[in-house]
Amino acid sequence: MAHPPTRPNGLAYKDAGVDYSKIDPLKIDAQRAARETAGNLAHTGFTEITASRGESAYVVDVGDFMLASITECLGTKVLIADKMRAITGKTYFDALAQDTLAMAINDIITVGATPISVQAYWAAGSSEWFDDKQRAHDLVRGWKEACDKCGVTWGGGETPSLGGVVEAGTIDLAASCIGIVRPKERSTLNNKTKPGDAIILLASSGIHANGVSLARKLEAQLPDGYSAMLSDDRMYGDALLDPTVLYSPVTEALYKGGIMPHYIANITGHGWRKIMRHEAELTYRFRMIPPVPPVLQFIQQHAGMSNADAYGTFNMGAGFALFVAPEDARRTVEISDDLGVNAYHVGTVEAGPKQVIIEPIGVTFTADDMHLRA
Amino acid sequence: MAHPPTRPNGLAYKDAGVDYSKIDPLKIDAQRAARETAGNLAHTGFTEITASRGESAYVVDVGDFMLASITECLGTKVLIADKMRAITGKTYFDALAQDTLAMAINDIITVGATPISVQAYWAAGSSEWFDDKQRAHDLVRGWKEACDKCGVTWGGGETPSLGGVVEAGTIDLAASCIGIVRPKERSTLNNKTKPGDAIILLASSGIHANGVSLARKLEAQLPDGYSAMLSDDRMYGDALLDPTVLYSPVTEALYKGGIMPHYIANITGHGWRKIMRHEAELTYRFRMIPPVPPVLQFIQQHAGMSNADAYGTFNMGAGFALFVAPEDARRTVEISDDLGVNAYHVGTVEAGPKQVIIEPIGVTFTADDMHLRA
C-alpha cells in the first residue's frame, strides 16, 4: 500500500471518526431517562447511590455492602491486531482480551469497588471468525489470565455471530463487571476529595484502548504504516498493542495497606480531561508529568498534535489517577511501585474553579472542555 | 429490488449465516477456562453456585441472597428495522430496546432471580448514527419503558462509535443485567425438577429475537420482501418487529403468589430444544402445542421447513417454559393470563432419557440435538 509522506497534519480526534459532540447529547438524554428509573429499586429495599450516576460505575447499597456494575467495550483496537498479524504472525488477541477487561475493571474500581465477576461479550462478524483456532485460543487464554490477575471470576458471556451488524472478519469485544464496595467507607462517591489531597498518577503501558481511531488514521499516513519504528526501536503497530495495565491489583493492595483513596479517575477517552471528572469545583495542579511512552510521543509528533490536543485525547503516560490524603502519598507510591506499576506523586488538589493545570507543558483544561454529565 | 419467486427451498439455519457447529466449540473452550477462575472468588468470602455455569446466568451466593449476572445481545434484528423504516416510516427502535432488554431479563429470571438493574451497550458504526434524533429518542424511550415494566433501574451504559468494527449505518445493541435470588430457595439450580412436574408454556409475541438471520434470508427470496402479507393481514416485516415479551412480571407475580417454579427455560436460540436445557436426564412430553403466531407459520411455510426444523429453531409460539409442581399448574396459568401473557399447561416432565417429545407434530429432540455444555 502506498502512503503519503509523513507530515505534521493537525490530525484531530474528530477527523478520525469519533465525534464526541454527536455522541454526548444522546448520552445525556439516556442518562436523564436512566435517572428516572431510580424508583424501580424501591421494591427490593435497596438504595441507589445517586452520586454514582455520571460516574464510571453504577452503585447500589444492598445492606452489608454496595454493589457496583458496569459494561465497557474495547473499541477499534482489534483492527490494529488484524493488520499486525500479517506483519508479525502474532494474533494479539490475548492482549486484546486484557484490554477489554481493563476497560471494565479499571472503571469499576474507581468507585472504590473490588471487582468480583465478569461477563464476556464477543460479537463476531460471522461464524468463520471462530474457525481461526489460534486466535480464538489466544482470546480465551488472555481473558482467563486477566481474570486471574484481578482476582475475578469469569461468570460467562455471549458469543454471537452478527453478520450485517459487525463487519465481516472482525469482532466486537466488550465486558461487563460486578464489584462490591465493602466496607462501604471505601466508596469514592461521597465528596471526600478536598484541597490538599495528593494526586498520584499510575503509569500507562502506552495508548491503552483510547485514542485508537486516531492512531489508526495516522497509520494510513505513514510511509511504513504500522512497521514504522519508534524511538525505542519497536514497531509502531506492535507498541500500540501493548495491553492496558490492570490497576485493580494496586487498589486492592492499597486497601490491604489501610489506604482509602478519596477519589479515583480512570484516564480513558478525553485523556487528562478525565482528571476533573469529580463533580466538585476543584483545581487539579500538576507540577510534573510522568514519562510519555514512545508510542504516544510518536503519535503526537507525527499527527502534529499540540500538547493540549495530545493530553486532552491520550493518557500520555498516566493511565490512572489516585486522589489520596497527603500523608498517604508516599506509601501509595511505594505500594504501586512494588507491584511493578510506576507511580508518580506529581499533582495536588486545590481550591478553585474546575480545571486541570499541567504546568510543565503550559496546558489548562477547564470545565468547558468536557461535558459528560446531564 | 427484484426477488426470485417464493418457493419451498429448505432454508436451513446454517445457510442464513449462523453456524452453531462453529460457535459452540469456542463456547465450550471458554466455559472450561471460565470454570477454572472459580477459585478467584475465595478472597471475597462468597461462594459460586457451580450449577449456574452452563445455565443462562452466573450466580454467586453473597450471604443474605444470591447475585445473578448476565450479558446478552439483540443480534441482527436491527437490520429488519432499518429496512422497514423505509416502508412504514417507523424507527422500531423502541421495540428493539425492549427486545434487547428481554434477551437479558428473560434469561436472568430463569435462575429464580428478580432483575434489579441493567446496563446498556449501544455500539454504533459511526457517530452519525446518533444524528437521527427520532431513532435515538425511540431507543432511549423504549429502553426506559422496558425497565419500568420489569421494575429494574437503568444504571448506565456505553455508547461507543466503532467504525470498522460495527457496520456503517447500523448499531450493535446489548444489555447486561444484575438480579438477586432472595430468598435463596427461589434458586432453580438445585435439581428440584422431577417426574410429574407440569410444564407451562408462555405465549411469545412472534419471532422474538432468535432465528432472525433466517427470517432476513427469507425476505430476500420473497417477491414482496418485508411487505409480504401474513394470514392476519399484517406485513411480514412489521410482524417480525413485534417486541419480545418481557416475562419478569409473570415470574414476580408467581413469587408473590407463593409459587416457586422448579425450573425455568427461556426459549431462544435452538427453539424448543432449549426445553431440555436442565442437566438432569428427564423426558419432556407435550400433549398439545400453543397457537403458532402467523409470522412463524409464514416463515415455516415459505422457507420450506419441516416441523423438526421449525421447532428446533424458533419458539413457535412458546417464548418461555415454567416447570412447576403439578398442584401449582392451574394457578400459574391464571396468574400469567391475568397479566395478559397467555399460558398453556401442555406438557409434563417424565422419567426417561433426555428428550423433548412434541406429540401433536410427531417431533422428538434428543440430547444429541443440542450440546451447550462443556
Side-chain angles (χ1 to χ4, degrees):
Chain A
M1 198 200 313
H3 294 274
T6 303
R7 57 186 159 72
N9 54 13
L11 200 61
Y13 207 64
K14 197 184 287 189
D15 303 328
V18 177
D19 185 347
Y20 278 105
S21 70
K22 282 182 183 158
I23 296 178
D24 285 354
L26 171 86
K27 213 177 221 180
I28 287 165
D29 281 352
Q31 284 179 2
R32 210 167 275 152
R35 279 200 172 94
E36 291 172 19
T37 65
N40 290 341
L41 213 53
H43 69 103
T44 64
F46 299 156
T47 316
E48 171 180 303
I49 306 298
T50 307
S52 72
R53 294 199 172 270
E55 292 292 334
S56 295
Y58 179 61
V59 184
V60 172
D61 188 330
V62 299
D64 290 344
F65 54 85
M66 294 179 193
L67 196 59
S69 60
I70 192 167
T71 297
E72 284 289 327
C73 77
L74 173 61
T76 61
K77 203 170 176 181
V78 288
L79 301 175
I80 300 177
D82 291 342
K83 286 203 174 180
M84 282 305 293
R85 190 172 185 188
I87 299 172
T88 66
K90 296 199 286 182
T91 77
Y92 297 95
F93 270 77
D94 46 349
L96 296 175
Q98 176 169 330
D99 279 316
T100 308
L101 281 167
M103 297 301 278
I105 289 173
N106 290 346
D107 257 5
I108 206 167
I109 60 177
T110 65
V111 297
T114 292
I116 63 167
S117 72
V118 298
Q119 294 270 335
Y121 179 65
W122 303 343
S126 75
S127 307
E128 280 66 41
W129 197 93
F130 302 104
D131 281 348
D132 185 325
K133 300 299 175 206
Q134 184 62 51
R135 188 172 57 183
H137 175 73
D138 287 348
L139 175 57
V140 170
R141 181 175 52 81
W143 198 273
K144 180 187 181 296
E145 287 175 3
C147 287
D148 289 340
K149 282 179 198 167
C150 295
V152 303
T153 56
W154 177 2
E158 173 86 332
T159 52
S161 166
L162 300 184
V165 174
V166 173
E167 297 263 8
T170 192
I171 193 162
D172 180 13
L173 299 179
S176 61
C177 183
I178 294 178
I180 55 164
V181 182
R182 186 182 64 176
K184 295 180 193 174
E185 290 68 37
R186 274 197 201 168
S187 169
T188 60
L189 304 171
N190 43 11
N191 282 307
K192 282 186 288 199
T193 316
K194 56 178 184 293
D197 278 359
I199 309 175
I200 315 292
L201 297 179
L202 305 189
S204 71
S205 60
I207 197 170
H208 285 186
N210 289 98
V212 165
S213 297
L214 196 148
R216 289 173 44 230
K217 183 117 175 177
L218 175 61
E219 179 263 347
Q221 301 184 354
L222 296 170
D224 295 324
Y226 287 131
S227 299
M229 298 307 281
L230 307 182
S231 60
D232 59 355
D233 291 330
R234 292 187 62 201
M235 245 186 274
Y236 174 49
D238 198 61
L240 284 173
L241 289 163
D242 287 344
T244 306
V245 177
L246 294 161
Y247 295 110
S248 73
V250 176
T251 50
E252 287 302 302
L254 291 177
Y255 299 132
K256 282 209 182 70
I259 295 173
M260 288 195 199
H262 292 173
Y263 191 66
I264 304 175
N266 186 19
I267 302 177
T268 55
H270 301 90
W272 283 45
R273 290 181 282 169
K274 275 276 166 72
I275 287 170
M276 55 180 166
R277 182 164 194 144
H278 193 281
E279 62 182 345
E281 284 282 319
L282 289 167
T283 292
Y284 308 91
R285 184 181 300 274
F286 292 89
R287 302 171 308 277
M288 291 180 288
I289 49 175
V292 182
V295 69
L296 296 179
Q297 290 176 27
F298 181 91
I299 294 172
Q300 180 178 5
Q301 179 194 337
H302 290 272
M305 297 172 83
S306 67
N307 279 327
D309 278 351
Y311 280 78
T313 303
F314 296 109
N315 68 63
M316 298 308 279
F320 207 70
L322 298 163
F323 303 73
V324 301
E327 61 271 24
D328 288 333
R330 195 180 52 83
R331 280 189 58 230
T332 299
V333 170
E334 286 169 1
I335 287 170
S336 188
D337 282 349
D338 284 351
L339 287 166
V341 179
N342 290 330
Y344 305 92
H345 176 194
V346 289
T348 309
V349 179
E350 298 179 353
K354 182 177 273 211
Q355 55 185 340
V356 177
I357 301 171
I358 316 174
E359 291 181 348
I361 54 170
V363 167
T364 297
F365 296 118
T366 66
D368 288 341
D369 292 322
M370 183 172 66
H371 296 287
L372 286 176
R373 291 163 185 281
Chain B
M1 198 201 313
H3 294 273
T6 303
R7 56 185 161 73
N9 53 12
L11 201 60
Y13 207 65
K14 196 183 288 187
D15 303 328
V18 177
D19 185 347
Y20 278 104
S21 70
K22 282 180 184 161
I23 296 177
D24 284 354
L26 171 85
K27 214 178 220 180
I28 287 166
D29 282 350
Q31 284 179 3
R32 210 166 275 153
R35 278 200 173 95
E36 290 172 19
T37 65
N40 290 340
L41 212 54
H43 70 103
T44 64
F46 299 156
T47 316
E48 173 180 303
I49 305 299
T50 306
S52 72
R53 294 200 171 268
E55 292 291 335
S56 295
Y58 179 62
V59 183
V60 172
D61 188 330
V62 299
D64 290 344
F65 54 85
M66 294 179 193
L67 195 58
S69 60
I70 192 168
T71 297
E72 285 288 328
C73 77
L74 172 60
T76 60
K77 204 170 176 181
V78 289
L79 302 175
I80 301 176
D82 291 343
K83 286 204 175 180
M84 281 305 293
R85 192 173 184 188
I87 299 171
T88 65
K90 295 199 286 182
T91 77
Y92 297 95
F93 269 76
D94 47 349
L96 296 175
Q98 176 169 329
D99 279 315
T100 309
L101 281 165
M103 298 300 279
I105 288 173
N106 290 347
D107 257 4
I108 206 166
I109 60 177
T110 64
V111 297
T114 293
I116 64 167
S117 71
V118 299
Q119 293 269 335
Y121 179 65
W122 303 344
S126 75
S127 307
E128 279 67 42
W129 197 94
F130 301 104
D131 282 349
D132 186 325
K133 299 299 175 207
Q134 184 62 49
R135 188 172 57 183
H137 176 73
D138 286 349
L139 175 57
V140 170
R141 181 175 53 80
W143 198 274
K144 181 187 180 296
E145 287 175 2
C147 287
D148 289 341
K149 282 179 198 166
C150 295
V152 303
T153 57
W154 177 2
E158 173 85 332
T159 52
S161 165
L162 300 184
V165 174
V166 174
E167 296 262 8
T170 191
I171 193 161
D172 181 13
L173 300 178
S176 60
C177 184
I178 294 178
I180 55 164
V181 181
R182 187 183 63 176
K184 295 179 193 174
E185 289 67 38
R186 275 198 200 168
S187 170
T188 61
L189 305 171
N190 43 11
N191 283 307
K192 283 186 288 199
T193 316
K194 57 179 182 294
D197 278 0
I199 309 174
I200 315 292
L201 299 178
L202 305 189
S204 71
S205 60
I207 196 170
H208 286 183
N210 289 97
V212 165
S213 297
L214 197 149
R216 290 172 43 230
K217 182 118 176 178
L218 175 61
E219 179 263 348
Q221 302 184 354
L222 296 172
D224 296 324
Y226 288 131
S227 300
M229 297 307 282
L230 307 182
S231 60
D232 60 353
D233 291 329
R234 292 187 63 200
M235 246 187 274
Y236 175 48
D238 198 61
L240 284 173
L241 290 163
D242 286 345
T244 306
V245 176
L246 294 160
Y247 295 109
S248 73
V250 176
T251 49
E252 288 302 303
L254 291 177
Y255 299 132
K256 281 207 183 72
I259 295 173
M260 287 194 199
H262 292 174
Y263 190 66
I264 304 175
N266 186 19
I267 302 177
T268 56
H270 301 89
W272 282 45
R273 290 181 282 170
K274 276 276 166 71
I275 288 170
M276 55 180 166
R277 181 163 196 145
H278 193 281
E279 61 181 346
E281 283 283 319
L282 289 168
T283 292
Y284 308 91
R285 184 180 301 275
F286 292 88
R287 302 171 306 278
M288 291 180 287
I289 49 175
V292 181
V295 70
L296 296 179
Q297 290 177 23
F298 180 91
I299 293 172
Q300 180 178 4
Q301 178 194 339
H302 290 272
M305 296 171 84
S306 66
N307 278 327
D309 278 351
Y311 280 79
T313 304
F314 297 108
N315 68 64
M316 298 308 278
F320 207 69
L322 298 162
F323 303 73
V324 300
E327 61 270 25
D328 288 334
R330 196 179 51 81
R331 280 189 58 229
T332 299
V333 170
E334 286 170 0
I335 287 170
S336 188
D337 282 348
D338 284 351
L339 287 165
V341 178
N342 290 330
Y344 305 92
H345 175 193
V346 289
T348 310
V349 179
E350 297 180 353
K354 181 177 274 210
Q355 55 184 341
V356 176
I357 301 170
I358 315 174
E359 292 181 347
I361 55 170
V363 167
T364 296
F365 297 117
T366 67
D368 288 341
D369 292 322
M370 182 173 66
H371 295 286
L372 287 175
R373 292 166 185 277

